[in-house]
Amino acid sequence: MGSSARKKKEKQKDFQKPKFKVGKAKPKPSNFTDTSFKAKAIVMGQQSLSTTAPDAVQQFKHSFSLASSSKSDKQRQEALSYLTGQLSTEPPVNPVGTRTLLAKLLPLISDTSTPVRGQLLKLFRALPAEQVRHSVETAIMFIRAGMTHLSADVSNDSIGFLDWLLDVAGEDVVSCPGGWVKTLNTFSAMLGWTATSGQNGWSSGGRSGPVRGKTSLNQSRTIDTLVKFLRIGFEPEDSAPPEPEPFLKSIYRVPRDPNAYAYLNLTGPRRDEDGTMYGDRETRQQVFHRRFLEPISKGADAIKKEGGTSGRAAAGLDQFLHSPEGMGDYEPSGAVDMESLMDLW
Amino acid sequence: MPKRKVAALEKIDADFASLQYKIRRDPQSYIDDFRRQWNQYESQREIFLVAPTSASAEATESFHNLVDLVAHVADCYPDETRTFPDDLKAIISEHHTVLGPELREKIVGSLMLLRRKEVIDSASALTCLFPILVSSPSKTFRGELFGKILGDMRNSNAKAINHPLNRTVQTVLYNLITADRASPRAIWAIKLTRELWKRQIWTDAKPVDVMREACLADNEKVVVGAVRFFLGGDKEREEIEDESSDEEVDLSKIRHQMGINKKSQKQKKAYNKAVSKVHRHERKKNKPHPLNFSALHLLHDPQEFAEKLFTKHLQNTKAKLSLDTRILVLQLVTRLVGLHRLTVVALYSWFIKFLTPRQQSVTSFLASLAQGTHNLVPPDVLEPLLQKIASEFVSEASAAEVAAAGLNSIREICARQPLAMTETLLQDLVQYRKSKDKGVMMAAKGLLSLYREVDPELLQKKDRGKDATIGLKTGSLTSRRFGEEDVGEIEGLDLLEKWKEEEKKKKRREKGLPSEAGSDEDEDKEEEDGFNSDDWEVDSDDSSDSGGWINVSDSEDEAPATKKRKASGDSSESGDGNNKDEENDAEAQKEKEAEIQRISKLATTTILTPADLAKLQELRASAAIDQALGPSRRKPGQESSTQRHADDGLTAEQIEAPARLRKLTKEEKVALAKEGKPEREEHKSTQAIKKSKKEAAGKSTSNREKARKKNFLMTLGKAKSKQKRSLVETRRVLRAHVDRSTRGGRKRNFA
């Protein structure tokens, strides 16, 4: 009953006349602050009022931001495929530039969703090669991170990314700071070929027993990519006599190479042995001989004995290492090896 | 932000926790997995360092997880993770301003973890974290770092004091304070030092030196912090010690619970823990008490320090310190002056301008002045101050509180330096004991009784009182000259002497000899005997075999002595003639001299054995108790003033104390009346409130209550049958009742 009475009262409230008061208004307190304001126009923050569809540039940027930061896998994948379509038109539409695109999209290499990674590789393949060269240093960093990822899928897909990068800018990959030794380190860790010398115990570590199926396939793929990487690294420099014309030109011009004076390392932090640049074949061979040759050939031998696809790939690696374009023509010159001398300290 | 869905298979893969578990179980087998993670960590770090500010949330999180993993297993692979601590240090010290809160917390936590695993040592961890603590703009991060640093300091000092580390940190703190005296950064040094002082980790002179430098800083906050340390740090330390010793464990209760409750492993563990705790407590009790000097005593060259403080913060008119801060500094300076008996002559003339009733918090100034007075202050320096206080505060026109405060402060000053008072002023001030106000009256009486003891000659004859007059006549009460000091002696030595004499007499009586020694020869022999090996050891002394008990002698022992004294006093009072007085005088004089000689003989001619010292301690304690319980109890006010320890400072409350005697306000009265009474939200009887409380506490009702609540119909049958009882039955019942009540009821409470 009580509630109905209340309701009645509430209803009546609407029909009550306001009582107007006579006399002066109550004086404002001394600390009163006037918060009322006037405005000529009111702007709605979130509303788009345009009648026409957004132009291509806007759309590109929108899907670009979706691809790099959306929370949903599906959305990211779709945005990436849209971007791929835009990039593969003739002429390609890319209002933000390859460098920005790469900077935002490279972290997706270690994305957890497989379709996103597949689409990302397609997008990267659509990028112009000569522009990718400028971002090789960042790209190889993210690819290395992907290769050592805890999830096997991610690390296997990263091999695909490395393949792509070697295709478009192989020479830059092996000569950029950290590109040679760190990447080889990563390969060794992936394949489990790290030198465990000096540690002899009951458990020697490492995977034991043959690997089958998909894992084996992945392993062979990794070894193939390693061979490719080494091949590019050990490629002899052009020994053709430099033509006088371009040489003269290049003396007085700003160099067109990406990061031409990188070997001076003017601004970055001090590099250690791993992070330094290995600019020519000989130094790369030296480092490889000193640190990687033994564990890699050992590991390759072990896998060769297992046979199968990975065994075949390992055989290819072994062959390459002994061929003259690999390490076949390298003679260790002990006296000149400065690095080993430095190790003595 | 919702988390991205992770596929089931991936989840198993990406489980850092299980990987960590496996690695810790068998580091050798999982070295490959670790190498991959290490490479992953390296590449993530590279990516992160390229752009620490704009790293995405995911990249940060994965880096966070990797750091966590590597830190937990770093001790398994010392070779591989050689660079890890330095990497972390570099990241945190270069990028701590831009790192996210979680990541930086993780990095700091990992560093501390490495420290606990002893991969790195404390000094290197702390020298990395301390500069960040000082420079970080984030308050939460600073708090966190402070906690971490403090925790590490405590841990590394837990088993044994880690002197090298302490020295390093103290030097860092000292340098921090002295490097830039105007910067507020030194506040962290103060906080750390104070905390470690409080926990008795640092107890030596070096931290005191750090604080001393901080007192002379230019920044007000730093000065306040350091000064507060000197004024309150030691009290804080004592309090925390008391607290920690309060935690007592009742073993019997736990044992009882174990008997009742279900037996479980957990309970067993809890019991073992409690037992070890009790053991630890006992061991701690048996340990000798560590010598903890207060910070004020450990100060190096207090004279210079007090002078510097005074000239820098007080005398200097350009010093921009607030009044509260200045009062704090003043308290410290005067405390030092009073405690170490320093001579800072400029201090007293500086006081003059603050001694008016209109001065803000004048009681603090008055207390400081009294605190800064000691018996080596020249009286003519204090005289104008006393005059000023008397003229400004103590007059008929001024309010009662003001007059009381003035009189109290004058008393406190004169208690420390009685020579500062002049005869006319004293006689004037003493007149206020007739005041209507209780506070003023008590203050004036206090002053009067003080001068009855220290220098009754300044008082008028009628005010001197009986004891003082007698003392003056006999010459036992003489005013002290400037700079005169008590002759140093061993407290309670006369008691020991007396006790020894009695023992000797007892022995002689046992042997059947007259109680007094016949000749010197005999005595010598006795003394020779006294040095047998039995008496040397503490435990062999048969009188102390009662353990820790102190024999409190009855006041009867004391009574005859006082009576005798009274009698002698009476006789002198009656004043038969001058010659008798003189005789008394001479006698007293002789006695006194003899006693002095005897005492000095005991201390100088014999070696006090450990047994003697133990006895001395015992006698001293019993004498103190006698004095406290004895009939010649002193007045409460005086007692409190003498009981106050000389090292404790004087506070404004003690100057104001009698102001509390004024009438209470209504609120105060209500609060006083309510104190100790049950809470009553509604109008209920006290009984009802008590009952509801009991019920809330889960207690059962008493038998009486049960009987009262019993259903009426249930009681009816018994009542009826009572009426039908025969006389014999009634007799039996009554007898049984009496029997029962003598036994203590059905429960046999007496048995």
Side-chain angles (χ1 to χ4, degrees):
Chain A
M1 283 293 119
S3 93
S4 81
R6 185 169 51 92
K7 272 180 190 165
K8 236 181 230 171
K9 220 183 244 174
E10 270 175 7
K11 268 179 195 167
Q12 263 182 351
K13 229 182 238 170
D14 294 340
F15 301 100
Q16 265 169 357
K17 275 185 191 172
K19 276 185 185 171
F20 294 112
K21 287 195 173 161
V22 185
K24 270 188 197 171
K26 204 175 157 192
K28 297 261 161 51
S30 60
N31 59 354
F32 175 75
T33 315
D34 189 15
T35 51
S36 64
F37 64 93
K38 280 178 189 168
K40 278 192 176 168
I42 294 176
V43 180
M44 306 290 277
Q46 295 296 319
Q47 202 171 352
S48 163
L49 292 175
S50 71
T51 49
T52 55
D55 58 343
V57 174
Q58 279 304 320
Q59 267 183 340
F60 187 92
K61 280 184 179 166
H62 177 68
S63 39
F64 178 45
S65 94
L66 269 186
S68 58
S69 61
S70 168
K71 297 288 171 229
S72 129
D73 296 347
K74 198 79 192 156
Q75 216 167 18
R76 258 178 290 144
Q77 191 202 340
E78 273 165 7
L80 280 175
S81 76
Y82 174 79
L83 291 181
T84 318
Q86 291 291 308
L87 287 171
S88 35
T89 52
E90 208 46 57
V93 181
N94 187 358
V96 293
T98 310
R99 201 182 169 77
T100 327
L101 206 65
L102 277 176
K104 281 283 182 194
L105 295 184
L106 276 171
L108 289 183
I109 288 177
S110 26
D111 194 286
T112 46
S113 147
T114 316
V116 171
R117 288 195 304 268
Q119 192 60 50
L120 185 68
L121 187 57
K122 279 181 201 158
L123 186 144
F124 282 167
R125 288 205 183 281
L127 286 171
E130 68 276 11
Q131 288 178 26
V132 173
R133 283 182 64 207
H134 296 268
S135 317
V136 156
E137 213 178 313
T138 5
I140 191 74
M141 224 153 66
F142 278 99
I143 289 172
R144 277 201 303 266
M147 279 162 74
T148 48
H149 201 272
L150 194 58
S151 153
D153 286 350
V154 175
S155 68
N156 290 327
D157 281 2
S158 305
I159 293 296
F161 286 107
L162 184 60
D163 268 338
W164 157 73
L165 195 63
L166 288 175
D167 285 343
V168 293
E171 186 60 28
D172 295 298
V173 170
V174 290
S175 60
C176 77
W180 183 244
V181 172
K182 280 190 180 173
T183 314
L184 278 174
N185 255 336
T186 316
F187 267 119
S188 313
M190 263 187 96
L191 293 164
W193 289 350
T194 330
T196 46
S197 56
Q199 290 174 342
N200 35 14
W202 289 105
S203 50
S204 59
R207 266 172 230 135
S208 53
V211 280
R212 301 240 170 274
K214 207 179 167 194
T215 330
S216 163
L217 206 67
N218 287 332
Q219 204 178 25
S220 73
R221 210 173 137 215
T222 312
I223 295 172
D224 284 342
T225 312
L226 175 60
V227 171
K228 191 174 172 184
F229 180 72
L230 290 177
R231 202 179 285 281
I232 291 169
F234 293 148
E235 210 162 73
E237 285 89 17
D238 298 332
S239 50
E243 300 159 39
E245 180 74 1
F247 177 72
L248 281 177
K249 267 185 189 169
S250 67
I251 284 181
Y252 301 109
R253 276 195 192 152
V254 178
R256 313 301 298 172
D257 280 348
N259 209 0
Y261 299 109
Y263 59 93
L264 292 175
N265 192 23
L266 291 173
T267 52
R270 256 191 75 186
R271 292 168 183 157
D272 52 356
E273 194 197 349
D274 289 6
T276 193
M277 292 172 72
Y278 291 95
D280 53 356
R281 179 173 189 231
E282 205 164 326
T283 49
R284 274 178 229 143
Q285 274 184 332
Q286 246 176 35
V287 165
F288 185 78
H289 177 76
R290 197 154 44 80
R291 295 183 50 180
F292 298 103
L293 184 57
E294 195 189 347
I296 284 186
S297 29
K298 248 189 203 169
D301 276 347
I303 291 184
K304 213 160 58 172
K305 277 171 200 156
E306 284 171 19
T309 37
S310 45
R312 234 171 293 139
L317 172 64
D318 206 34
Q319 216 174 8
F320 169 70
L321 284 180
H322 290 106
S323 69
E325 65 257 35
M327 293 293 286
D329 61 340
Y330 177 74
E331 297 113 18
S333 47
V336 196
D337 199 354
M338 280 302 290
E339 293 289 336
S340 58
L341 274 181
M342 293 300 281
D343 278 352
L344 287 178
W345 288 104
Chain B
M1 179 182 108
K3 280 207 169 159
R4 192 177 283 175
K5 265 191 184 169
V6 186
L9 268 175
E10 221 169 33
K11 233 181 215 167
I12 298 168
D13 254 3
D15 193 359
F16 279 116
S18 76
L19 180 60
Q20 184 188 324
Y21 172 72
K22 287 179 198 161
I23 288 179
R24 293 203 62 80
R25 285 289 294 272
D26 187 1
Q28 276 303 316
S29 307
Y30 285 92
I31 193 159
D32 273 342
D33 295 74
F34 175 72
R35 281 221 181 91
R36 291 182 71 175
Q37 290 319 309
W38 175 255
N39 270 320
Q40 170 78 357
Y41 156 75
E42 290 254 291
S43 38
Q44 288 283 0
R45 185 174 64 91
E46 247 179 280
I47 294 169
F48 183 77
L49 284 182
V50 167
T53 44
S54 59
S56 69
E58 271 168 61
T60 322
E61 202 196 330
S62 68
F63 186 54
H64 175 277
N65 291 338
L66 281 165
V67 167
D68 186 46
L69 175 77
V70 176
H72 273 97
V73 299
D75 53 335
C76 301
Y77 307 108
D79 273 350
E80 277 82 356
T81 58
R82 212 174 33 244
T83 55
F84 183 62
D86 291 328
D87 285 349
L88 288 189
K89 274 191 226 164
I91 292 176
I92 192 77
S93 35
E94 277 166 35
H95 303 292
H96 67 91
T97 47
V98 293
L99 288 180
E102 279 169 17
L103 184 59
R104 72 186 175 202
E105 190 179 337
K106 176 50 71 185
I107 290 179
V108 173
S110 302
L111 268 178
M112 288 339 264
L113 185 67
L114 292 177
R115 148 83 200 93
R116 277 204 301 281
K117 288 178 187 285
E118 292 183 347
V119 178
I120 53 174
D121 60 342
S122 268
S124 74
L126 292 184
T127 44
C128 167
L129 294 185
F130 201 77
I132 303 171
L133 169 71
V134 170
S135 61
S136 171
S138 154
K139 194 175 177 186
T140 50
F141 190 45
R142 282 192 310 246
E144 203 176 283
L145 276 175
F146 182 69
K148 286 268 182 345
I149 290 175
L150 191 67
D152 189 47
M153 290 296 296
R154 286 179 68 184
N155 279 340
S156 35
N157 279 303
K159 291 235 171 79
I161 295 173
N162 187 347
H163 284 295
L165 175 69
N166 288 347
R167 222 174 302 132
T168 322
V169 175
Q170 281 161 2
T171 317
V172 167
L173 298 185
Y174 188 88
N175 291 341
L176 180 73
I177 287 172
T178 48
D180 184 5
R181 285 186 183 275
S183 83
R185 289 175 164 195
I187 205 84
W188 289 105
I190 288 169
K191 272 193 163 182
L192 197 63
T193 312
R194 183 160 191 171
E195 202 63 31
L196 290 170
W197 182 267
K198 191 169 89 180
R199 299 185 190 283
Q200 304 207 24
I201 295 166
W202 288 356
T203 50
D204 49 345
K206 194 82 198 277
V208 177
D209 218 31
V210 169
M211 287 309 215
R212 171 199 156 104
E213 284 306 319
C215 276
L216 298 172
D218 292 325
N219 187 289
E220 185 167 348
K221 263 189 174 177
V222 176
V223 173
V224 170
V227 169
R228 273 187 202 280
F229 167 77
F230 278 113
L231 292 175
D234 294 303
K235 196 150 270 176
E236 211 176 47
R237 186 167 70 173
E238 276 165 29
E239 272 164 18
I240 203 166
E241 200 176 6
D242 290 347
E243 256 172 45
S244 63
S245 62
D246 277 349
E247 294 166 17
E248 288 289 326
V249 186
D250 192 0
L251 269 187
S252 62
K253 193 177 169 189
I254 294 174
R255 232 176 272 141
H256 176 71
Q257 276 178 350
M258 275 181 76
I260 291 165
N261 295 340
K262 197 181 159 194
K263 282 160 194 63
S264 68
Q265 205 66 27
K266 192 179 168 192
Q267 218 172 21
K268 212 173 180 182
K269 259 183 215 160
Y271 178 71
N272 285 339
K273 221 178 203 177
V275 167
S276 67
K277 195 171 185 185
V278 168
H279 281 311
R280 224 180 305 138
H281 262 295
E282 268 166 19
R283 230 176 296 144
K284 214 180 194 179
K285 248 183 226 166
N286 292 336
K287 250 196 242 172
H289 189 69
L291 272 181
N292 278 336
F293 291 108
S294 80
L296 291 171
H297 282 109
L298 284 174
L299 207 54
H300 172 67
D301 195 0
Q303 171 76 40
E304 193 203 343
F305 180 47
E307 273 172 12
K308 267 189 182 170
L309 264 183
F310 175 63
T311 48
K312 180 159 189 171
H313 296 310
L314 299 175
Q315 212 175 22
N316 181 10
T317 46
K318 278 170 196 151
K320 289 216 168 28
L321 299 180
S322 70
L323 183 71
D324 289 341
T325 317
R326 276 149 68 100
I327 287 177
L328 278 178
V329 174
L330 178 64
Q331 275 173 358
L332 177 57
V333 171
T334 50
R335 189 79 183 278
L336 283 171
V337 169
L339 190 67
H340 293 282
R341 300 196 180 176
L342 310 176
T343 312
V344 186
V345 177
L347 177 68
Y348 302 100
S349 56
W350 176 84
F351 258 112
I352 264 212
K353 64 174 178 256
F354 296 102
L355 299 178
T356 71
R358 281 171 302 283
Q359 169 68 36
Q360 211 179 336
S361 55
V362 67
T363 45
S364 296
F365 279 100
L366 290 172
S368 305
L369 174 57
Q371 190 172 254
T373 317
H374 52 85
N375 61 357
L376 295 181
V377 178
D380 45 344
V381 175
L382 289 173
E383 229 177 81
L385 291 174
L386 284 185
Q387 290 286 0
K388 173 117 194 229
I389 294 174
S391 61
E392 291 269 358
F393 289 81
V394 191
S395 72
E396 295 289 355
S398 60
E401 289 93 345
V402 175
L407 279 170
N408 275 326
S409 62
I410 289 175
R411 193 195 67 214
E412 291 292 345
I413 294 168
C414 292
R416 288 164 174 80
Q417 176 54 296
L419 297 174
M421 185 57 88
T422 57
E423 202 169 344
T424 46
L425 180 62
L426 179 64
Q427 284 169 10
D428 205 24
L429 292 176
V430 161
Q431 298 301 313
Y432 282 92
R433 72 180 193 279
K434 301 272 163 54
S435 165
K436 289 271 189 316
D437 187 81
K438 200 173 179 191
V440 178
M441 181 262 283
M442 280 174 64
K445 277 188 175 171
L447 188 64
L448 175 67
S449 61
L450 170 72
Y451 269 91
R452 277 178 177 175
E453 276 180 22
V454 295
D455 197 0
E457 278 179 31
L458 292 185
L459 292 165
Q460 278 182 339
K461 264 196 179 153
K462 59 173 182 177
D463 292 333
R464 283 178 194 171
K466 194 173 68 186
D467 288 346
T469 319
I470 296 164
L472 276 180
K473 277 235 171 107
T474 56
S476 63
L477 236 178
T478 48
S479 60
R480 218 177 258 186
R481 299 271 190 77
F482 179 70
E484 199 179 318
E485 292 280 351
D486 276 333
V487 181
E489 60 174 14
I490 302 169
E491 191 192 339
L493 195 64
D494 48 341
L495 295 173
L496 183 68
E497 171 78 356
K498 218 179 271 172
W499 178 77
K500 279 203 158 180
E501 206 111 284
E502 265 166 35
E503 285 292 290
K504 223 177 263 175
K505 277 179 195 168
K506 224 189 270 174
K507 262 186 192 169
R508 291 182 71 88
R509 237 175 284 144
E510 276 167 15
K511 282 180 186 170
L513 295 169
S515 56
E516 291 295 325
S519 63
D520 289 357
E521 219 179 305
D522 219 12
E523 207 171 25
D524 280 354
K525 203 175 134 200
E526 271 302 312
E527 238 169 26
E528 213 86 64
D529 284 350
F531 271 105
N532 57 12
S533 59
D534 288 349
D535 264 2
W536 185 264
E537 289 303 321
V538 179
D539 288 341
S540 65
D541 196 346
D542 52 352
S543 72
S544 62
D545 59 1
S546 50
W549 294 95
I550 296 166
N551 288 323
V552 181
S553 61
D554 288 335
S555 51
E556 281 169 31
D557 293 352
E558 204 76 10
T562 48
K563 235 179 232 168
K564 207 191 266 171
R565 219 184 73 200
K566 224 178 224 171
S568 68
D570 278 340
S571 63
S572 67
E573 190 99 319
S574 59
D576 293 21
N578 275 343
N579 54 349
K580 194 161 188 182
D581 270 5
E582 271 170 24
E583 239 171 62
N584 267 350
D585 274 9
E587 221 168 81
Q589 199 76 12
K590 225 186 253 172
E591 230 167 69
K592 211 172 152 189
E593 272 170 22
E595 199 175 355
I596 286 169
Q597 247 178 0
R598 215 169 349 117
I599 287 164
S600 60
K601 209 173 97 185
L602 183 70
T604 51
T605 55
T606 63
I607 296 169
L608 293 178
T609 62
D612 280 344
L613 292 176
K615 189 72 206 169
L616 185 64
Q617 191 75 23
E618 199 178 301
L619 288 170
R620 237 185 262 167
S622 66
I625 289 171
D626 279 349
Q627 204 180 0
L629 295 175
S632 59
R633 218 184 142 131
R634 283 166 150 201
K635 279 169 199 160
Q638 252 179 334
E639 198 171 33
S640 72
S641 72
T642 50
Q643 270 178 0
R644 220 184 305 145
H645 195 265
D647 281 1
D648 287 342
L650 193 67
T651 59
E653 282 84 57
Q654 282 153 351
I655 297 289
E656 292 167 6
R660 265 187 286 147
L661 295 170
R662 77 195 144 70
K663 274 184 186 169
L664 298 170
T665 60
K666 193 184 173 192
E667 286 80 27
E668 284 166 338
K669 271 186 205 165
V670 170
L672 260 181
K674 266 191 181 167
E675 204 177 350
K677 283 189 182 156
E679 198 71 28
R680 101 176 44 224
E681 315 82 38
E682 47 194 333
H683 290 289
K684 256 188 188 173
S685 71
T686 321
Q687 288 280 328
I689 289 168
K690 267 186 197 163
K691 211 168 96 187
S692 64
K693 239 186 201 173
K694 212 171 160 189
E695 256 168 38
K699 285 172 183 161
S700 58
T701 50
S702 67
N703 281 346
R704 257 176 85 92
E705 269 173 308
K706 282 194 182 100
R708 208 182 297 140
K709 270 189 184 168
K710 198 167 188 176
N711 192 354
F712 168 66
L713 288 172
M714 289 164 85
T715 61
L716 212 60
K718 198 178 182 184
K720 263 185 190 164
S721 70
K722 268 186 187 172
Q723 287 175 347
K724 288 176 188 167
R725 275 179 196 160
S726 69
L727 274 175
V728 177
E729 267 175 331
T730 314
R731 188 182 62 191
R732 205 191 303 140
V733 167
L734 285 176
R735 205 161 265 164
H737 173 77
V738 172
D739 265 8
R740 235 187 0 253
S741 61
T742 51
R743 279 204 315 264
R746 283 188 204 279
K747 283 187 177 177
R748 310 209 162 192
N749 286 329
F750 300 156

